[in-house]
Amino acid sequence: MTTHRFDLHPWGIGWSCVQNSGWEERGQAHRESVFSLSNGHIGWRGTLDEGDPSAAAGSYLNGVFEEHPMPYAEDGYGYPEHGQTVMHVPDGKVIRLIVDDEPFDIRTGALVEHRQHLDLRTGILHREATWTSPAGRTVTVASQRLVSFTHRSIAAVRYEVTAGDAAVEVTLLSEIVADEPLPEVHSDPRVMDALREPFEPVSHHGAGGRATLVQRTRRSRIAVAVAADHLVTASQANAPEPHTEVTADLARTTVRARLELGESIGLVKCVGHEWSPALDDVALRDRAEAAVESAIEIGWDGLVDEQRQYLDEFWGRVDVRIEGAERLQQSARFSLFQVLQSAARAEVRSIPGKGLTGVGYEGHTFWDAEAFVLPVLTYTAPHAARDALLWRHSTLDHARNRAEQLHLAGAAFPWRTLDGRECSGYWPAGTVAFHVNADIAAAVVRYARATGDEDFEREKGVEILVETARLWCALGRWDDDGAFHIDGVTGPDEYSALVDDNFFTNLMAQRNLRAAADASRRHRDQASALGVAPEEIARWTTTADAMAFPWDAARGIPEQSAGFNAKERWDFEGTRDDQYPLQSHFPYFDLYRKQVVKQADLVLALQIAPDAFTPEQTARAFAYYDELTVRDSSLSASVQSTVAARVGQLDLAMDYFAEAATIDLDDLQDDVDEGLHVAAHAGVWNALVCGFGGMRDDGEMLRFAPRVAPPMTAFSFGMLVRGRTLRVEVQRDAVTYRLADGAALGIRHFDEEITLEAGQPRRLGIPALPDPGPRPSQPRGREPRRADAET
């Protein structure tokens, strides 16, 4: 039975406990992740204002980490020596409340009512609580919290207390709290020992309502400054003055007031965040305090207005609308909002796998940032996609050094990282997952084509394409028949490792090589400066043309890797439901030698490169691999939804879409406590737009082949194409294309080429769907959640 954990609302996520039901600790960590706020630079988990109770307090800055030793039972050449883990920076969102002489603690007294609501239109987290103290005094607390999209360094809180049933003395304690404990992110105690006290104090300052803490990580030597200032409002004639005390690891601003029945006192708190590995401590403090001073001058209402305007423009361009399925509508908007939050103001920083919503994956970024998240950003927030690619470019020296260490040419980007250096200690699923390099190259090509940003392609893109192309030529081998093979690699599927000719890897490498050759011909001066000669370009094209692709001739389908389809099948019938995920109950060596797929691999190739396969091959391959895919990864359902839609299996596509859309909101894999899955949220947009919308961008012209599937009755989405806003509105029998502005745009509607003019919508019919054949089956017990439960 489906269990939905949040209230249904088309523009928000809500949760409440009412009618004196008391506080519900179960699910608190999950709610903290879901109610997290971020702008790509700052991340605040959705903890309660007063800080307690808290499952995992968290305030994060993108790029702030601590190093720790990488423990190995047996060392080996090329193993990373140091790991990196995201740290809790000083937490400025804490505001504690004392009612008379009793602390406001929702676990004591009587919690009459408690509500939280994340408004996706404003980016504000709302909270309302009515609480009666053990002594019988009732107060109402109302707070709003935002992390600014328009002021990169600023997060802010508005906090108000109202006396409910009698006069009461209240004390507000607004804090910046350092050294918040980190959850156990590693099972080795030597690692956790290195992470227990990661910061050393540098300086602390406070006066009036202002406070600043400056600290530095002990090993990575990253300095962090967190500053705060306050505005006090009161329903009385004279608002009380704040008073601040500061120590090395705690800043506390105190406001006291007596409230008569119905009177209120409010606090606006603006918090500035800056970090740098090189900036002088005083300069860093000045930057944080200047950001706060500017925010205080703008005021809470001004910050809210700017936030609303930013999001109005975003949703006005790229909103996703689903009719007939309210919960899918809610989930789709929530997912797109999470993608925006992860990167909007990252500004040449990575996009971590959990964004800035928790310490999951130790804050690392992976290949899925380029393969899943950047396609969405490219068409909805292209400035953020550009910044993410600029960050990858800034780490090229680390990638070149890694390639040299591995005795390869070009650049070898890391499997998991925070600053561009490899942090994966498990090399069968880390170092040899070389497809990450082609994933990055593909993101470069997509961004340049979708935006027309020739400056980026020339100044940054060419170098990424060239260095990754060089890697493939050094990594592969030629056989006696003139075919080029890439042996001993790991593809996207983490239940296979060290395979030969992984189809996805070879296909992406082929495209990488061709893209490098094309870009080098277009930008000869840049290519020449990188030492690219005509002979090297010829080698790339020859290698791409000779790329080997394993093929199962008997079934008429591509193989995930050479010999994969000849392996013994996993015993799905004999695997109990409680033995999933498989990696938690079976040894990897057994998984590696069987036909079982953790997450879409060959099917991901079908999604990303549809032009490489005929429709018949795609349908046969999808059906075959759907029988083997157990979806022990949050990345899989959206890909399977996309390809199912393309082959006409609309009911199955919708079921996979429903699973992808609710994987975090309903915590389907029981792993959201440490943060949301940003790439899975991106997959929701990909499934809707590329699956049901039939959008393909693998050619010079966008192609759409949309289909509506129940319970949806209609859907629409917007996207940015070369600076123009295109809206696609899909109904059961027709689709309307609207170009809002700019020059004419050519697209394909199914196989018909059309030209769109700004302000002149085109309504076209949707051809009948050919019979797709029987619905593909899945491993026993691994069928997707039904879409009819999400209406």
Side-chain angles (χ1 to χ4, degrees), residues 401-738:
N401 292 340
R402 182 63 169 162
E404 183 178 1
Q405 183 184 37
L406 298 175
H407 305 301
L408 297 169
F413 285 99
W415 171 249
R416 60 187 300 170
T417 187
L418 274 160
D419 74 344
R421 292 174 290 174
E422 180 63 76
C423 289
S424 174
Y426 184 60
W427 62 270
T431 295
V432 299
F434 287 105
H435 67 84
V436 63
N437 299 280
D439 302 329
I440 294 168
V444 169
V445 172
R446 178 184 296 105
Y447 170 79
R449 184 172 57 222
T451 63
D453 189 345
E454 294 184 6
D455 290 343
F456 169 82
E457 182 184 57
R458 179 177 59 254
E459 296 167 10
K460 307 295 182 182
V462 171
E463 189 172 11
I464 293 175
L465 295 172
V466 165
E467 296 292 18
T468 49
R470 286 169 171 166
L471 175 79
W472 299 116
C473 289
L475 186 63
R477 66 173 177 87
W478 293 87
D479 68 14
D480 293 340
D481 296 324
F484 188 81
H485 301 268
I486 303 175
D487 297 334
V489 299
T490 297
D493 173 29
E494 295 173 8
Y495 287 168
S496 299
L498 296 170
V499 301
D500 297 338
D501 288 331
N502 171 256
F503 201 106
F504 176 86
T505 300
N506 287 20
L507 183 63
M508 297 297 286
Q510 181 187 62
R511 291 176 173 238
N512 189 169
L513 290 161
R514 288 174 175 165
D518 290 344
S520 294
R521 293 188 188 104
R522 286 196 304 275
H523 305 287
R524 295 184 183 278
D525 290 345
Q526 283 69 29
S528 178
L530 295 169
V532 177
E535 295 77 14
E536 187 171 22
I537 295 175
R539 183 161 62 252
W540 294 337
T541 56
T542 300
T543 302
D545 292 343
M547 190 69 67
F549 293 101
W551 195 263
D552 183 337
R555 297 180 175 89
I557 61 173
E559 280 193 295
Q560 181 167 296
S561 58
F564 181 85
N565 292 5
K567 292 180 178 180
E568 179 185 356
R569 282 205 172 197
W570 186 264
D571 181 11
F572 297 112
E573 292 299 319
T575 303
R576 302 189 312 271
D577 290 348
D578 63 359
Q579 289 179 304
Y580 289 96
L582 296 179
Q583 78 263 23
S584 298
H585 300 90
F586 297 93
Y588 270 106
F589 83 86
D590 203 17
L591 297 169
Y592 288 166
R593 62 198 183 105
K594 302 286 179 62
Q595 281 193 75
V596 57
V597 180
K598 178 179 181 180
Q599 66 211 75
D601 188 314
L602 189 282
V603 174
L604 183 59
L606 300 178
Q607 171 185 303
I608 290 179
D611 60 316
F613 312 93
T614 67
E616 295 76 18
Q617 291 168 350
T618 300
R620 288 194 299 266
F622 174 73
Y624 183 84
Y625 286 98
D626 218 41
E627 292 183 358
L628 304 175
T629 304
V630 296
R631 299 191 319 287
D632 282 348
S633 165
S634 63
L635 296 177
S636 197
S638 65
V639 178
Q640 290 168 269
S641 174
T642 300
V643 180
R646 286 179 176 173
V647 300
Q649 296 286 351
L650 297 183
D651 289 345
L652 179 58
M654 182 53 69
D655 288 347
Y656 278 132
F657 181 64
E659 180 175 306
T662 55
I663 200 165
D664 275 357
L665 283 177
D666 291 340
D667 201 5
L668 298 185
Q669 297 188 337
D670 196 27
D671 61 353
V672 182
D673 288 2
E674 293 187 344
L676 303 176
H677 301 86
V678 174
H681 286 288
V684 174
W685 187 92
N686 288 325
L688 183 68
V689 173
C690 302
F692 295 103
M695 193 269 278
R696 288 172 46 172
D697 63 354
D698 49 336
E700 290 302 313
M701 183 178 292
L702 291 177
R703 179 183 186 270
F704 297 91
R707 303 280 182 187
V708 171
M712 290 193 301
T713 58
F715 70 95
S716 65
F717 56 88
M719 54 194 301
L720 299 175
V721 184
R722 294 189 171 240
R724 291 161 285 186
T725 301
L726 171 65
R727 186 141 201 97
V728 181
E729 301 167 354
V730 187
Q731 297 175 314
R732 292 193 182 279
D733 58 354
V735 56
T736 301
Y737 300 99
R738 299 181 187 274

Side-chain angles (χ1 to χ4, degrees), residues 180-232:
E180 290 274 21
L182 195 71
E184 185 172 302
V185 296
H186 203 286
S187 59
D188 193 300
R190 293 170 292 180
V191 174
M192 291 308 301
D193 285 345
L195 300 177
R196 280 202 171 88
E197 294 184 358
F199 286 98
E200 59 186 25
V202 174
S203 63
H204 53 277
H205 315 271
R210 301 181 179 183
T212 304
L213 297 183
V214 182
Q215 299 193 325
R216 187 180 298 276
T217 52
R218 298 180 189 278
R219 293 176 179 83
S220 57
R221 307 307 295 166
I222 296 172
V224 173
V226 178
D229 199 358
H230 303 80
L231 293 172
V232 181

Side-chain angles (χ1 to χ4, degrees), residues 316-333:
R317 294 191 304 265
V318 300
D319 184 25
V320 288
R321 299 172 190 164
I322 297 175
E323 297 179 24
E326 292 178 299
R327 198 164 295 277
L328 293 180
Q329 172 67 89
Q330 177 189 44
S331 299
R333 283 191 176 126

